[in-house]
């Protein structure tokens, strides 16, 4: 979903991929599981394709912000801090598993979940 809002105008659009074959071109080396991820489609076709961003720019979050809170998105659109927002469906756990089973990693910020384990618990042995 795409949305733009300022003090005089508010609009939202639902984007749908017209030609799924386009994904075969831009994600040729990726599995079917990866090619169907909303985040992968947004990154490859919109951020890289339409906006011309590089992989490094996306990784460094140049000109990109992430938030799981719709209220924050609307506020930032309203103040002009954000010019556009893309709201993605939550990635189902089965889709994450399918991508992992193919030996691939998920796109940046595509696996937001809460509550998160504390880093020390997840990465340090508990003896």
């Amino acid at each position: 979903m795409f949305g733009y809002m300022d003090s005089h105008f508010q609009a939202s659009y639902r984007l749908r991929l017209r030609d799924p074959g386009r994904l075969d071109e831009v994600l040729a080396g990726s599995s079917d599981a990866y090619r169907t991820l909303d985040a992968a489609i947004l990154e490859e076709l919109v951020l890289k394709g339409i906006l011309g961003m590089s992989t490094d720019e996306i990784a460094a979050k140049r000109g990109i912000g992430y938030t799981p809170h719709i209220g924050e998105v609307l506020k930032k659109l309203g103040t002009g801090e954000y010019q556009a927002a893309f709201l993605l469906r939550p990635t189902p756990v089965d889709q994450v598993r399918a991508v992992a089973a193919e030996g691939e990693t998920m796109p940046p910020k595509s696996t937001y979940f809460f509550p998160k384990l504390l880093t020390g618990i997840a990465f340090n042995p508990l003896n």
Side-chain angles (χ1 to χ4, degrees):
M1 178 192 233
F2 165 77
Y4 173 82
M5 182 171 116
D6 68 18
S7 59
H8 300 99
F9 176 76
Q10 178 177 344
S12 65
Y13 306 92
R14 183 174 181 186
L15 300 178
R16 180 174 302 276
L17 185 60
R18 283 189 197 170
D19 180 12
R22 180 81 175 107
L23 292 176
D24 294 334
E25 295 172 32
V26 297
L27 294 171
S30 301
S31 68
D32 287 340
Y34 189 87
R35 283 197 302 263
T36 59
L37 290 170
D38 290 349
I41 295 167
L42 174 67
E43 182 176 322
E44 291 298 323
L45 296 181
V46 178
L47 299 181
K48 290 180 181 177
I50 295 170
L51 299 178
M53 296 180 75
S54 69
T55 301
D56 291 339
E57 288 173 322
I58 294 168
K61 297 188 270 184
R62 288 195 191 105
I64 299 175
Y66 296 97
T67 180
H69 306 289
I70 187 68
E72 186 176 344
V73 170
L74 294 174
K75 178 181 171 190
K76 290 183 178 198
L77 285 168
T79 63
E81 185 176 343
Y82 284 2
Q83 294 175 336
F86 298 91
L87 308 174
L88 304 179
R89 298 173 293 183
T91 305
V93 173
D94 290 343
Q95 199 171 18
V96 175
R97 285 186 182 134
V99 170
E102 294 291 336
E104 297 168 309
T105 57
M106 298 291 289
K109 303 295 183 187
S110 62
T111 55
Y112 179 85
F113 63 90
F114 192 82
K116 293 187 180 293
L117 289 174
L118 297 173
T119 303
I121 291 175
F123 293 111
N124 293 319
L126 300 174
N127 293 333

